[in-house]
Amino acid sequence: MQSDSYNPLKDQVFENASFGINAFGFYFPLGFTHLVKSGYISLSRFSELTSHAQAQAFGLNKGAIAKGKDADMIIIDLQSHTQINDAVSPYHATTLQSKLIHTIINGDIKI
C-alpha cells in the first residue's frame, strides 16, 4: 500500500536508495520528539545542528536569520502533533510532538 509520501527512490535495496529522510515534514517532529522533548539536547542546540551546522558543512548561504542569507525557514507549532501514516516508514503509526506548519523557501511560503 502506497501513502501520499511514498518515494520510489527509497523503495530500493539499501545501497541504491536515496539518502536522507523521506518526508521533510517528519524531520523536525522526529528530532524534536526524540532529542529535545526527551531532554538529550536543547531546542536551541537542535536548531543549530539542523540548520546552521548543515549549511556550513555544505557551504550553503543558509542556516541563520541574517541580512544576505537565503530566506529559507520552517514555521513549527510546538503544541501540535504529527501522525505518521506512511506504511513504508519505520515510524508508521507514530505520533510525534510538534507539527510543520509552513516552509519558506526564497521568501515564498509553501503550504
Side-chain angles (χ1 to χ4, degrees), residues 8-55:
L9 298 176
K10 290 288 197 180
D11 193 15
Q12 299 184 32
V13 235
F14 182 79
E15 292 82 11
N16 296 333
S18 63
F19 176 75
I21 193 163
N22 193 27
F24 184 74
F26 302 150
Y27 177 75
F28 184 92
L30 278 165
F32 183 73
T33 300
H34 295 291
L35 298 173
V36 177
K37 291 302 275 187
S38 295
Y40 290 108
I41 61 175
S42 68
L43 180 57
S44 175
R45 180 68 175 144
F46 179 62
S47 176
E48 178 186 345
L49 291 171
T50 58
S51 60
H52 181 74
Q54 288 185 19

